[in-house]
Amino acid sequence: MANETQKVGAIHFPFPFTPYSIQEDFMAELYRVLEAGKIGIFESPTGTGKSLSLICGALSWLRDFEQKKREEEARLLETGTGPLHDEKDESLCLSSSCEGAAGTPRPAGEPAWVTQFVQKKEERDLVDRLKAEQARRKQREERLQQLQHRVQLKYAAKRLRQEEEERENLLRLSREMLETGPEAERLEQLESGEEELVLAEYESDEEKKVASRVDEDEDDLEEEHITKIYYCSRTHSQLAQFVHEVKKSPFGKDVRLVSLGSRQNLCVNEDVKSLGSVQLINDRCVDMQRSRHEKKKGAEEEKPKRRRQEKQAACPFYNHEQMGLLRDEALAEVKDMEQLLALGKEARACPYYGSRLAIPAAQLVVLPYQMLLHAATRQAAGIRLQDQVVIIDEAHNLIDTITGMHSVEVSGSQLCQAHSQLLQYVERYGKRLKAKNLMYLKQILYLLEKFVAVLGGNIKQNPNTQSLSQTGTELKTINDFLFQSQIDNINLFKVQRYCEKSMISRKLFGFTERGISNQPLEFTFQKRELPQMMDEVGRILCNLCGVVPGGVVCFFPSYEYLRQVHAHWEKGGLLGRLAARKKIFQEPKSAHQVEQVLLAYSRCIQACGQERGQVTGALLLSVVGGKMSEGINFSDNLGRCVVMVGMPFPNIRSAELQEKMAYLDQTLPRAPGQAPPGKALVENLCMKAVNQSIGRAIRHQKDFASVVLLDQRYARPPVLAKLPAWIRARVEVKATFGPAIAAVQKFHREKSASS
């Protein structure tokens, strides 16, 4: 049916059809609540057009509110008559009995013409102030338009300067440490992109003397917010349905509506969106824009144009001019989230940030619960709720939503992993961090250790395998928890501020993408082809190649598995990270190519030892039982570390091996508590291959190397007993990778210093 205008009392409600009486009552009561500036709780049965009633009732009030405001401003500007009194009362005010103008008392006996003069002066002053305010608003808008381009250039310049200054500071620090003698030898070079993971110098709130001028500039450029309606619901599908209802309503062609959403829903950068998880997308987006809000740390200096062209971290869709066009398009016609995404792709503008630019001028803002209710998110989005209308749909979910937003469940395993990851971070970048950062990081490590202890755990044990000494559920007050944890002497508020300001969580997250997940290493036939297991091997090798000089030889169970792992690393970028540390060689399948590969491997290690550049040697990927697992010596720098991936058990499906196992099981007695003779044969064949492979290094009396066995099955006593005695006596079993890499690093530092 055609749109109809229904009059309820003195209020006109446009409606797409003749409304039911319950809808008329709903709209009228909603209107009265909004007009009075009160809080209303509305409940309507299913199927009664609640959304449409909300739209027509609320937008009718907004229409009338804006109309009254326009009429009042027009009357003041055109007639010069202020709202100090009604025209029907003017004759009374002109009489000698009038006591004053507009509620302003005058002395007894004051002439009427004096009263009238004072009143007119107040009216003229009010009109002048309104005209001046409009003039200032117009000037501000003109200034915003003029400065918009300059602001874009300024932000871009600041971003480049800050990035270059941070890089220069890190390079200067590296040079200083390299010039200080023996300590310089201990400072490993960073891989490409690793500079972003190092914490910048931290200043607490008490130490900051001057506020950042960047923030002041942004405050001056903020657009004035008009009175608007914020409509929020629980899910994006509910919001999409509401926008669809707005389109069908009589207000669909006139209302300025903008839909807000998360980065995951509104990102159009495929490289970022392909990361999948909300956490990864948010962190990558913030990281690409982080320098927009960073405080300038040093004097502004001109940088060579060549360097400015090197940094391309900014998102190509974050373009102020294009986002401004997207904002205007979004406000010109009601668009749902899908249409906003399509518009962003077409205009090559970010819908996430572009939609936020539309908030000040929008009449209706549609957004999810979390964005409205979470203070930090609301502030970051530029949402202002003072003197605005807020409509919360599906409000029966409100309490659960608020509780969930401000609650978190942390397990002991997560605390152990956080401690391990942070410890690895400190060990990796500790010499590049300022004293203030190190102090706070050690405090956080101490807190994590105490939290784990309260739960009955031990940070030195694998969190996935240790058994807790305490079980059950116990509620504690905050004070009791602090005293029991022995952390009552630490100012947790300062630690919290440090975590927020330093962005250590994002730095650590980026580090853990590289740094190790500490998942149990068990390269069985069923598990070894899992992506996370292949990633874990790559990360471990990256860390080992960062602390081991010269050559590293890594043995895999088979040629096929080596091929799969190599392809996976190449696809995920791990191969490039490895190549930044060690030049990569692979064992060839053809026998006549072995000598050629070994010669290139040896020459590379020798050249890297002389040049002392970022590439510190070579990594040779070999196969157990292959051409390089026996008969070839990797002495001295050719093999400073041997890595064994998994346990190279023979093919159990081999008919010949099965016959041997069956014969042993039938002829040899089985000792109590021991494995069957056939199974012992398989294990012996495996360990024989392991011993042959790891024996390729340490070929003379003064030679040294580290041996890393990557499989938790090596920690079993029957397996350890089958290692050579001279190796078995020096085996150290580590539950997590942090202590393991620290031990390897210490070993090679001591050996390098003594040689």
Side-chain angles (χ1 to χ4, degrees):
M1 294 180 64
N3 293 340
E4 298 184 8
T5 300
Q6 300 297 319
K7 183 175 182 181
V8 181
I11 308 170
H12 295 270
F13 292 105
F15 214 74
F17 49 82
T18 303
Y20 302 123
S21 60
I22 189 174
Q23 293 172 327
E24 292 178 346
D25 295 341
F26 190 105
M27 291 187 291
E29 190 60 32
L30 174 63
Y31 192 102
R32 283 191 287 270
V33 168
L34 296 180
E35 184 69 14
K38 295 183 177 179
I39 297 175
I41 300 177
F42 293 82
E43 186 176 17
S44 184
T46 302
T48 54
K50 176 189 62 176
S51 296
L52 192 59
S53 300
L54 273 174
I55 293 168
C56 295
L59 291 181
S60 294
W61 174 86
L62 186 62
R63 171 204 63 195
D64 295 345
F65 174 84
E66 292 178 345
Q67 181 64 24
K68 292 175 184 176
K69 188 175 181 180
R70 286 193 297 268
E71 290 175 354
E72 188 64 31
E73 289 183 355
R75 186 160 68 90
L76 288 172
L77 292 174
E78 294 175 6
T79 67
T81 302
L84 299 178
H85 58 83
D86 295 333
E87 292 181 1
K88 62 182 181 179
D89 297 330
E90 187 170 355
S91 59
L92 296 176
C93 290
L94 293 177
S95 66
S96 59
S97 61
C98 184
E99 294 184 357
T104 302
R106 62 180 180 83
E110 185 178 88
W113 64 270
V114 174
T115 301
Q116 187 177 10
F117 176 80
V118 173
Q119 175 182 325
K120 292 297 183 183
K121 185 177 184 302
E122 291 178 352
E123 292 175 349
R124 286 195 300 271
D125 291 343
L126 179 61
V127 173
D128 291 341
R129 285 196 302 271
L130 184 58
K131 288 182 177 180
E133 176 61 29
Q134 285 198 340
R136 284 194 298 270
R137 186 182 306 170
K138 184 177 180 181
Q139 291 175 356
R140 185 163 60 248
E141 292 174 354
E142 292 176 351
R143 181 166 62 91
L144 287 173
Q145 293 175 358
Q146 294 171 357
L147 291 179
Q148 186 176 20
H149 186 61
R150 281 192 289 169
V151 168
Q152 296 172 17
L153 296 177
K154 181 183 72 172
Y155 283 153
K158 285 187 177 183
R159 194 160 53 235
L160 289 169
R161 283 195 296 270
Q162 290 167 348
E163 290 165 351
E164 291 299 326
E165 286 166 4
E166 184 174 355
R167 185 180 289 107
E168 289 296 329
N169 287 337
L170 290 173
L171 291 175
R172 175 180 54 78
L173 178 61
S174 300
R175 286 193 296 267
E176 289 175 357
M177 298 190 72
L178 289 173
E179 293 170 359
T180 57
E183 288 293 325
E185 301 298 331
R186 303 181 184 180
L187 188 64
E188 294 85 13
Q189 294 179 335
L190 299 180
E191 298 177 18
S192 175
E194 255 191 308
E195 298 90 349
E196 300 175 357
L197 303 179
V198 180
L199 288 166
E201 186 173 1
Y202 175 73
E203 285 185 321
S204 62
D205 294 338
E206 294 83 357
E207 295 167 332
K208 294 180 181 178
K209 303 295 183 181
V210 182
S212 173
R213 290 297 304 173
V214 176
D215 294 337
E216 295 179 7
D217 292 342
E218 289 180 352
D219 290 340
D220 292 340
L221 296 173
E222 285 182 351
E223 186 177 350
E224 182 180 358
H225 286 232
I226 67 168
T227 301
K228 59 176 56 57
I229 297 171
Y230 288 98
Y231 174 89
C232 66
S233 192
R234 189 167 58 92
T235 65
H236 284 289
S237 60
Q238 291 170 332
L239 295 175
Q241 179 63 30
F242 179 80
V243 173
H244 184 67
E245 293 289 335
V246 172
K247 283 185 177 181
K248 296 192 303 182
S249 76
F251 297 91
K253 295 183 179 180
D254 302 321
V255 67
R256 299 191 299 275
L257 179 147
V258 60
S259 295
L260 303 182
S262 64
R263 288 181 175 89
Q264 187 182 34
N265 293 100
L266 289 177
C267 180
V268 291
N269 188 327
E270 293 299 330
D271 293 336
V272 177
K273 197 170 183 179
S274 62
L275 296 174
S277 72
V278 178
Q279 179 77 25
L280 287 173
I281 292 174
N282 288 343
D283 287 342
R284 182 64 59 84
C285 178
V286 172
D287 188 57
M288 296 174 88
Q289 312 303 333
R290 71 190 186 285
S291 57
R292 293 170 52 238
H293 301 292
E294 286 181 353
K295 182 178 178 181
K296 183 178 177 182
K297 298 178 184 175
E300 295 186 2
E301 298 177 359
E302 287 193 13
K303 302 294 179 184
K305 291 183 178 180
R306 177 182 60 82
R307 286 192 174 183
R308 292 191 177 189
Q309 294 173 352
E310 290 174 359
K311 188 69 176 179
Q312 297 180 349
C315 177
F317 294 90
Y318 191 84
N319 181 291
H320 284 275
E321 183 177 356
Q322 294 303 113
M323 288 193 300
L325 294 175
L326 184 143
R327 171 200 61 196
D328 296 339
E329 287 284 339
L331 293 174
E333 183 181 356
V334 174
K335 291 180 174 60
D336 57 24
M337 200 168 293
E338 294 298 326
Q339 292 173 314
L340 197 61
L341 274 171
L343 183 61
K345 292 178 181 178
E346 180 182 353
R348 292 195 62 79
C350 177
Y352 176 75
Y353 285 105
S355 61
R356 295 183 174 203
L357 294 178
I359 293 177
Q363 296 171 305
L364 180 58
V365 179
V366 180
L367 69 167
Y369 273 174
Q370 291 79 357
M371 193 171 291
L372 183 86
L373 300 174
H374 191 263
T377 305
R378 186 170 65 243
Q379 183 179 4
I383 296 171
R384 298 179 180 179
L385 298 183
Q386 186 174 1
D387 299 326
Q388 306 293 333
V389 176
V390 177
I391 297 178
I392 300 177
D393 198 7
E394 302 289 339
H396 57 275
N397 296 311
L398 195 57
I399 300 300
D400 291 338
T401 302
I402 295 175
T403 302
M405 286 169 50
H406 297 282
S407 303
V408 65
E409 181 176 316
V410 181
S411 66
S413 176
Q414 290 172 323
L415 293 172
C416 286
Q417 290 176 356
H419 184 278
S420 175
Q421 292 166 358
L422 188 58
L423 184 62
Q424 293 177 57
Y425 182 90
V426 173
E427 289 169 349
R428 173 64 174 156
Y429 304 121
K431 296 191 184 312
R432 288 181 164 84
L433 299 178
K434 297 293 185 180
K436 184 78 67 175
N437 278 317
L438 284 174
M439 180 195 73
Y440 277 107
L441 293 181
K442 288 180 179 178
Q443 278 191 343
I444 296 173
L445 285 170
Y446 177 79
L447 291 171
L448 291 170
E449 181 178 355
K450 292 301 181 182
F451 290 159
V452 172
V454 168
L455 296 176
N458 189 338
I459 59 169
K460 296 181 180 179
Q461 298 179 7
N462 191 321
N464 298 306
T465 59
Q466 64 178 296
S467 58
L468 296 179
S469 59
Q470 303 175 13
T471 58
T473 302
E474 184 179 357
L475 297 179
K476 296 180 183 295
T477 65
I478 293 178
N479 286 337
D480 290 343
F481 180 77
L482 294 179
F483 283 115
Q484 184 178 350
S485 305
Q486 299 177 358
I487 59 171
D488 53 293
N489 60 330
I490 296 179
N491 189 332
L492 295 180
F493 294 104
K494 292 186 70 173
V495 176
Q496 180 193 16
R497 283 197 297 272
Y498 171 78
C499 292
E500 294 173 351
K501 299 293 183 182
S502 67
M503 296 183 291
I504 177 61
S505 60
R506 289 202 298 111
K507 302 284 187 182
L508 191 60
F509 186 80
F511 175 73
T512 54
E513 281 189 297
R514 298 172 175 265
I516 308 300
S517 65
N518 282 321
Q519 60 180 312
L521 296 176
E522 189 169 356
F523 291 90
T524 60
F525 188 78
Q526 294 80 10
K527 296 181 180 179
R528 67 184 187 184
E529 294 182 7
L530 295 175
Q532 56 266 33
M533 295 300 291
M534 293 189 282
D535 286 336
E536 192 80 340
V537 175
R539 296 190 191 105
I540 290 173
L541 281 178
C542 282
N543 281 267
L544 289 173
C545 289
V547 300
V548 176
V552 176
V553 184
C554 181
F555 287 100
F556 289 83
S558 66
Y559 285 104
E560 175 60 22
Y561 187 57
L562 171 56
R563 184 195 64 79
Q564 291 179 0
V565 172
H566 189 275
H568 182 77
W569 288 350
E570 187 174 27
K571 182 180 178 181
L574 270 168
L575 198 65
R577 284 175 50 201
L578 278 169
R581 285 297 188 190
K582 306 282 187 185
K583 187 172 181 180
I584 301 175
F585 296 87
Q586 284 193 73
E587 177 179 327
K589 287 188 176 181
S590 302
H592 69 276
Q593 295 179 330
V594 172
E595 190 66 28
Q596 182 181 354
V597 172
L598 285 175
L599 184 60
Y601 173 77
S602 176
R603 287 176 176 174
C604 175
I605 293 174
Q606 184 178 6
C608 291
Q610 295 173 351
E611 296 173 0
R612 301 182 66 82
Q614 183 176 359
V615 178
T616 60
L619 170 64
L620 179 59
L621 305 178
S622 306
V623 176
V624 176
K627 303 168 185 63
M628 296 184 180
S629 62
E630 52 182 306
I632 295 178
N633 296 336
F634 295 102
S635 60
D636 299 319
N637 277 341
L638 294 183
R640 288 305 184 197
C641 181
V642 177
V643 182
M644 180 65 62
V645 178
M647 297 187 69
F649 285 101
N651 183 9
I652 196 69
R653 297 178 181 176
S654 166
E656 182 180 357
L657 181 58
Q658 287 184 350
E659 285 298 319
K660 289 181 179 179
M661 293 173 62
Y663 174 78
L664 292 175
D665 288 339
Q666 292 172 1
T667 58
L668 294 180
R670 178 179 178 181
Q674 293 186 354
K679 186 176 181 181
L681 171 66
V682 174
E683 198 170 81
N684 289 338
L685 291 173
C686 169
M687 293 309 297
K688 176 187 175 183
V690 170
N691 291 333
Q692 286 178 334
S693 298
I694 63 179
R696 298 306 91 209
I698 316 180
R699 305 303 296 181
H700 57 83
Q701 185 178 6
K702 294 185 179 180
D703 200 0
F704 65 91
S706 54
V707 178
V708 181
L709 304 175
L710 296 182
D711 201 303
Q712 65 181 6
R713 292 174 291 178
Y714 283 111
R716 299 173 183 171
V719 176
L720 282 175
K722 293 175 182 177
L723 289 171
W726 62 276
I727 292 181
R728 186 168 63 247
R730 295 171 174 83
V731 169
E732 296 181 24
V733 178
K734 304 293 185 182
T736 57
F737 188 73
I741 191 66
V744 172
Q745 187 175 30
K746 180 182 178 182
F747 171 80
H748 284 283
R749 281 178 177 173
E750 292 175 350
K751 292 295 183 180
S752 299
S754 61
S755 61

